[in-house]
Amino acid sequence: MRGVYTAGVLRYFMDRNLYFPYVIGVSMGACNGANYVARQPERNRIVNIHYVRDSRFLSHRRLIFRGELFGMQFIFDTLPHDLVPFDFETFKRSEQRFILAAFDCMSGETVYFDKGELDEAGFRTLLQAGSSPPLVQKPMLYQGRIFMDGGIGEPVPLQKSMEDGNRRHVLILTRPKGYRKKTSRIRWLIRRRYPFYEGLHRVYAARHEHYNETMDRIDRFEAEGKVFVIRPMQSLPVGRVTRNTQKLYTVYNHGYAEAGKDYPALCSYLND
């Protein structure tokens, strides 16, 4: 739920009619990015804050009895089709390139999918797969591969953006500068819960090292003026499954305000 900070930043961009030609995201960042590309400024806020106390959206009881904390059928079917329609046609027609990531549990590879190669069903399946963290969500099968949360293997897909030829990179992060991950205390549980997912075992064991190396690289590039980073100054007052709407609105508004504060510098960076 820290992703509501990103939603606030993207809302500011949309209010300023700032649309980047290349958008890439992992986990909730991909969901936020999809609504940005679809030109739906209110959808991130409504889906992730207005419905957060709905048991169909998030339920610890469902996790206990069905192995699913978030109601993926509700989030990726009922909401986009019936309650808060997702404009797939605008999303598909947009000239913006949109890429989402999903983690292959067997190979340990982060796989990237471009919206241009996906129909609506494939897009929804991969968006769900790429937003499904271990232990609290079920893996997804797509084209014979078992996928989970894209952030497992690549927390910030800067390298992919660079490989695709982009020379300027605007990163939206949800942790303050200086944050680093520690060794995961649930590695044993990952192995026990998913005994046959060799790629997941290998990558998860070293996940903190890759994350910290990525943050070190981003800090270095930021100092060199190679990337522009928008992130909170302090730790956000929400966790992975916060359901307090007041706190979530605070974080959303904080993202909006932070983007506004950084906007003049961002424009200078983009026009340099």
Side-chain angles (χ1 to χ4, degrees):
M1 301 308 297
R2 287 189 302 271
V4 297
Y5 175 87
T6 303
V9 173
L10 293 178
R11 176 58 193 267
Y12 185 89
F13 287 173
M14 287 187 270
D15 284 350
R16 295 298 179 274
N17 198 36
L18 176 61
Y19 290 96
F20 294 93
Y22 181 100
V23 180
I24 184 170
V26 299
S27 198
M28 188 175 173
C31 297
N32 284 327
N35 293 315
Y36 169 67
V37 173
R39 305 295 201 272
Q40 294 184 270
E42 281 286 271
R43 194 169 187 278
N44 282 325
R45 181 189 64 80
I46 295 172
V47 169
N48 295 306
I49 301 180
H50 178 75
Y51 281 97
V52 74
R53 297 193 63 82
D54 191 316
S55 62
R56 294 173 296 176
F57 185 97
L58 192 158
S59 168
H60 290 88
R61 179 182 176 84
R62 181 175 49 246
L63 175 61
I64 294 172
F65 290 101
R66 295 173 53 187
E68 186 180 67
L69 180 62
F70 290 92
M72 294 306 208
Q73 179 71 20
F74 178 71
I75 295 172
F76 291 100
D77 190 355
T78 305
L79 277 171
H81 283 132
D82 302 324
L83 300 179
V84 194
F86 176 71
D87 190 347
F88 184 77
E89 290 305 314
T90 296
F91 171 79
K92 193 70 172 178
R93 290 198 308 268
S94 171
E95 294 182 357
Q96 289 175 281
R97 187 178 179 190
F98 177 82
I99 296 174
L100 62 89
F103 178 78
D104 186 322
C105 296
M106 300 303 294
S107 70
E109 176 188 10
T110 301
V111 186
Y112 296 97
F113 297 90
D114 194 304
K115 75 178 176 76
E117 63 191 30
L118 300 171
D119 58 16
E120 184 172 3
F123 166 71
R124 286 195 294 111
T125 297
L126 287 167
L127 197 62
Q128 177 178 337
S131 304
S132 298
L135 303 180
V136 297
Q137 297 298 146
K138 297 176 181 178
M140 296 284 295
L141 184 66
Y142 183 77
Q143 294 183 345
R145 305 176 78 170
I146 302 171
F147 288 115
M148 294 194 83
D149 194 309
I152 296 171
E154 196 56 71
V156 182
L158 174 60
Q159 183 61 37
K160 171 62 175 174
S161 178
M162 296 175 68
E163 290 172 357
D164 283 345
N166 296 308
R167 294 182 296 108
R168 288 182 173 83
H169 312 270
V170 178
L171 312 180
I172 306 174
L173 308 182
T174 61
R175 296 285 196 179
K177 189 170 185 176
Y179 173 82
R180 297 294 185 270
K181 285 188 180 295
K182 298 179 180 179
T183 304
S184 174
R185 293 177 294 180
I186 62 170
R187 289 179 296 172
W188 67 272
L189 189 56
I190 293 290
R191 285 184 171 276
R192 183 171 181 177
R193 177 67 179 83
Y194 309 104
F196 304 110
Y197 295 173
E198 295 295 335
L200 178 61
H201 301 167
R202 183 178 66 256
V203 173
Y204 210 89
R207 187 184 180 207
H208 64 291
E209 295 176 358
H210 179 58
Y211 178 92
N212 294 340
E213 289 169 358
T214 300
M215 292 302 112
D216 289 343
R217 188 184 191 200
I218 288 172
D219 287 350
R220 185 171 66 254
F221 282 176
E222 184 181 20
E224 296 171 353
K226 295 180 179 178
V227 303
F228 192 94
V229 183
I230 298 176
R231 56 184 152 201
M233 297 298 293
Q234 299 178 333
S235 296
L236 299 174
V238 296
R240 291 181 180 272
V241 294
T242 297
R243 302 182 74 183
N244 185 312
T245 54
Q246 183 176 356
K247 288 184 177 181
L248 291 170
Y249 271 119
T250 297
V251 170
Y252 179 89
N253 292 334
H254 182 53
Y256 190 95
E258 199 74 29
K261 179 172 70 78
D262 290 344
Y263 189 67
L266 172 61
C267 290
S268 296
Y269 169 77
L270 294 174
N271 294 321
D272 186 9

